[in-house]
Amino acid sequence: MNSQGGMTRAQVAVFYLVMTTSIASGIAIYSSASTATALLKTATAGLFLPVLISLIVSFLLDPLVQYVEGKRINRTISIFVVYIFLFLATSLLLLIIGPPNWEGMIQALKADFPRYISHSIKYLNGLLMIAQEHFPFIVNYDIAELISSTSQSFFGLILKETPQSAMRVASLLLLVPLFSFFFLRDSRRIMRSLISLTPNRYFEMVLDIYAHVSWQLAHFIRGRILEALIIGVVVWMGLSLTDIHYAPILGIIAGATNLVPYIGPLIGMIPGLIIAVVDLGTGGQFWWVLCVYFIIGQVILDNFILIPILISRVSNLHPLWVILAIIMGGKLYGVIGMMIGVPIASILNIIIIEIRQYRRTFNPYNRYFSSRGKLL
Amino acid sequence: MQGKGLIVNPFWSNIFRSRGYEKTLAYFLSTMPMFNKLDKRELGFLENIVHLRNYHSDEVVFNQGDIGSGMYFIRSGQVQIFNQDEHGTEVVQAVLEAGDFFGEVALTASRPRCASARTTEPTVLIGLFRSDVLEAVRRHPVPTAKIMLGLNRIIADRLLQCSLQLETLKRQQTLAKKQQSHE
């Protein structure tokens, strides 16, 4: 009976039972862990954008809330006051000016779009002819066809996504004020409790670096958003002086693309220039449009007024990093990723620079650190 | 049934009894000389910008030459302030007890610490740091101004005391010189 290495049959049975259950439960735990990460992924999938936008909104509103709070009003109530004020201001603005006719504009754009595309293709074909005269070996390369097909599919995608994005915008309108309310109210408390986790020895350093980084970040984000807003409004105003259609949409495009340094403004002016050429011809108005985009928008306003005032030089990124950030952002989150990739890279840059700065200035043994300039 | 001479078994003492105001952080802060002009509301505000830190015994708070970013109040425990001379031996400058404070020079500007501080027993420190004070200046200027005035008063008192001591030392020195010349 009791063979098998001194174990009774019952013991062997129990042993096998324990082994199989442990293996089974191990597999179950492993698979549920992978499904848990998958679940986590699906659960947080749509949240990235609202959280990001509410963070940005709370950065923008923080000075206003602080101003109201300075009148000896409780912070929660100050946030409500700012919200109500903003709501009233927007509705007043809409009442006075009247909402721009977005829907009509989009319908008209849908009708006009093929015309713009075909014109630009014609122009590109002309260019191609000239190029082929000088470089005969590119005869068989059909750029025009490529552009027309990609732009058609791109525009079709936009039209298809419009109802979906309307849903998304509605949910954003609900979520963003809610999230940013809590960010505004509790961000200090959250950050304090996070910082208080650091060991005693590094506490002072972490607190100092956090204060520097958050100051820089707040300025950077506020500056970027304000810059985009001002550029958008100025382009809108400037284009409204001509007979060009879709000035509001072009203004929005100019403002949004202005978030991406170096490349963004150039891309932002392409639609405006195409529409100007097609509708207005290459007369005086075209040159005025170019002037609005390039000289007023970029050179005078952006380079000489806005960037020096709003954005510190600290956050300047090397062009190579800008391109890398755009590509990586695009891989991760598509068009939105392209737009926010560069700001996020700049934020990382600010954090790294602040930490290096802190170590260099504030370390008495700084002979151990290299005295070379910026890393990035 | 608790008579006067009766010693109550601590097991039965009511640990859930609500703590009196004397036990709160705000009360402790109000006993500090630099905060004794603040009212209750302002003390509550101050309570929100300080950090409570727990230290083991023999733990370094900061070293000489570190860049300081704030001052500490000792809520309980003991802190030793010491320097190191060129041979590396420690010279104890002071032993601070609960209710004392140190490091106030670093609060207004980031200066290297001129001495090291180390706890000698389990200690609770309350830290008031420059970044928090700067933010408080923006958000609540009035109570922060009062806090800074209190700090100013303390530092001014110390300066006065130092200059008085310097005066007496100078007098002693001139006296000693006179005696030397007489001899």
Side-chain angles (χ1 to χ4, degrees):
Chain A
M1 272 230 12
N2 43 5
S3 58
Q4 297 205 354
M7 282 205 271
T8 63
R9 189 168 283 178
Q11 275 176 330
V12 170
V14 167
F15 177 73
Y16 276 117
L17 199 69
V18 168
M19 281 308 282
T20 42
T21 39
S22 59
I23 288 170
S25 57
I27 290 170
I29 287 170
Y30 176 76
S31 65
S32 73
S34 61
T35 51
T37 51
L39 277 179
L40 204 67
K41 231 180 209 168
T42 37
T44 54
L47 281 179
F48 178 75
L49 196 61
V51 167
L52 190 84
I53 293 178
S54 8
L55 270 177
I56 291 172
V57 166
S58 59
F59 265 116
L60 285 179
L61 294 187
D62 192 54
L64 287 177
V65 174
Q66 243 176 57
Y67 176 77
V68 178
E69 214 185 353
K71 309 260 180 266
R72 299 198 127 209
I73 296 172
N74 175 339
R75 188 164 177 93
T76 314
I77 297 172
S78 331
I79 298 170
F80 276 121
V81 168
V82 168
Y83 271 25
I84 291 169
F85 170 75
L86 280 183
F87 179 73
L88 286 182
T90 13
S91 34
L92 200 69
L93 206 69
L94 286 183
L95 267 181
I96 293 172
I97 302 176
N101 188 8
W102 296 114
E103 209 182 324
M105 223 175 321
I106 285 178
Q107 294 296 332
L109 188 61
K110 214 193 283 185
D112 279 347
F113 191 74
R115 198 156 55 86
Y116 296 138
I117 286 296
S118 65
H119 266 266
S120 45
I121 285 169
K122 208 181 282 171
Y123 178 68
L124 272 174
N125 269 334
L127 273 187
L128 205 63
M129 294 285 267
I130 296 170
Q132 278 167 356
E133 271 172 27
H134 293 277
F135 308 100
F137 50 85
I138 49 171
V139 174
N140 290 324
Y141 196 68
D142 199 357
I143 294 178
E145 178 55 36
L146 190 77
I147 285 180
S148 85
S149 64
T150 48
S151 60
Q152 294 288 355
S153 62
F154 176 71
F155 195 67
L157 194 75
I158 287 179
L159 287 184
K160 205 177 71 187
E161 294 250 317
T162 305
Q164 277 182 13
S165 58
M167 275 289 289
R168 210 184 273 169
V169 165
S171 77
L172 280 185
L173 281 181
L174 203 71
L175 285 181
V176 167
L178 193 74
F179 284 171
S180 42
F181 171 77
F182 286 116
F183 284 146
L184 278 171
R185 202 186 61 154
D186 297 330
S187 64
R188 235 175 74 81
R189 210 173 307 157
I190 295 167
M191 284 320 292
R192 264 174 75 92
S193 54
L194 279 183
I195 289 173
S196 72
L197 294 177
T198 49
N200 285 330
R201 194 71 193 87
Y202 304 106
F203 182 73
E204 283 187 31
M205 191 182 79
V206 169
L207 193 70
D208 249 24
I209 289 178
Y210 166 71
H212 274 103
V213 168
S214 68
W215 191 85
Q216 284 275 2
L217 271 191
H219 269 245
F220 174 74
I221 291 173
R222 250 170 247 155
R224 275 283 173 212
I225 301 287
L226 269 181
E227 184 198 353
L229 266 180
I230 294 173
I231 291 281
V233 169
V234 165
V235 167
W236 179 356
M237 294 294 161
L239 294 185
S240 303
L241 296 180
T242 66
D243 298 329
I244 200 168
H245 300 300
Y246 319 118
I249 290 182
L250 291 176
I252 288 174
I253 291 176
T257 51
N258 206 68
L259 290 174
V260 179
Y262 307 120
I263 305 163
L266 292 176
I267 293 174
M269 55 179 90
I270 288 173
L273 294 184
I274 289 176
I275 291 178
V277 168
V278 173
D279 283 352
L280 309 173
T282 48
Q285 285 195 334
F286 171 77
W287 294 109
W288 170 247
V289 170
L290 192 69
C291 206
V292 164
Y293 269 118
F294 204 74
I295 294 175
I296 297 179
Q298 286 309 309
V299 178
I300 297 178
L301 199 61
D302 216 30
N303 273 343
F304 287 134
I305 302 174
L306 292 182
I307 289 185
I309 293 174
L310 294 175
I311 296 164
S312 58
R313 294 268 168 214
V314 164
S315 50
N316 274 353
L317 274 180
H318 191 275
L320 183 66
W321 289 110
V322 171
I323 295 168
L324 285 180
I326 291 170
I327 293 171
M328 288 196 275
K331 282 249 164 89
L332 277 177
Y333 287 106
V335 179
I336 292 170
M338 284 182 173
M339 231 118 77
I340 61 179
V342 174
I344 285 178
S346 317
I347 287 167
L348 293 179
N349 187 26
I350 288 172
I351 292 173
I352 292 170
I353 286 175
E354 276 299 329
I355 290 174
R356 284 169 64 86
Q357 185 89 359
Y358 189 88
R359 285 166 58 121
R360 203 163 40 232
T361 18
F362 291 160
N363 201 305
Y365 313 109
N366 54 6
R367 60 174 179 270
Y368 295 130
F369 295 105
S370 77
S371 54
R372 287 177 58 211
K374 292 199 289 188
L375 174 72
L376 299 169
Chain B
M1 294 291 270
Q2 291 183 5
K4 265 194 175 173
L6 195 71
I7 296 163
V8 183
N9 185 339
F11 183 79
W12 296 104
S13 66
N14 182 7
I15 57 167
F16 303 106
R17 191 182 294 152
S18 65
R19 289 165 142 211
Y21 179 64
E22 282 74 25
K23 295 271 176 64
T24 60
L25 186 59
Y27 174 77
F28 172 77
L29 288 171
S30 75
T31 60
M32 296 278 100
M34 58 185 65
F35 302 136
N36 56 11
K37 296 250 180 356
L38 300 185
D39 61 30
K40 240 182 174 174
R41 187 192 152 101
E42 287 157 348
L43 282 171
F45 162 73
L46 182 64
E47 218 177 358
N48 279 328
I49 64 170
V50 296
H51 296 261
L52 209 68
R53 308 290 302 171
N54 294 303
Y55 287 78
H56 301 294
S57 75
D58 239 9
E59 200 176 339
V60 174
V61 183
F62 51 73
N63 274 327
Q64 186 176 352
D66 280 2
I67 290 304
S69 67
M71 65 183 299
Y72 292 93
F73 306 91
I74 306 173
R75 177 137 202 220
S76 65
Q78 199 180 53
V79 173
Q80 201 180 41
I81 308 288
F82 62 94
N83 280 116
Q84 269 181 341
D85 59 13
E86 57 267 34
H87 306 300
T89 48
E90 293 178 0
V91 183
V92 175
Q93 304 280 356
V95 175
L96 304 176
E97 303 277 346
D100 291 336
F101 55 89
F102 57 96
E104 69 274 10
V105 177
L107 187 62
T108 43
S110 51
R111 301 254 179 279
R113 301 279 189 193
C114 54
S116 308
R118 186 203 296 136
T119 59
T120 53
E121 53 186 82
T123 302
V124 180
L125 294 181
I126 297 168
L128 176 64
F129 297 104
R130 191 175 52 250
S131 54
D132 293 316
V133 172
L134 286 179
E135 203 201 326
V137 169
R138 284 197 295 273
R139 288 171 46 147
H140 305 275
V142 179
T144 318
K146 266 179 135 176
I147 292 169
M148 295 319 280
L149 269 180
L151 192 75
N152 194 3
R153 198 168 60 232
I154 295 295
I155 292 179
D157 279 352
R158 285 213 168 153
L159 193 64
L160 192 66
Q161 214 172 5
C162 272
S163 54
L164 285 178
Q165 269 178 358
L166 200 65
E167 199 85 338
T168 42
L169 277 176
K170 261 185 189 167
R171 216 173 292 142
Q172 279 170 2
Q173 203 185 16
T174 45
L175 259 173
K177 265 186 187 168
K178 266 183 190 170
Q179 277 171 357
Q180 263 182 358
S181 63
H182 276 298
E183 285 162 8

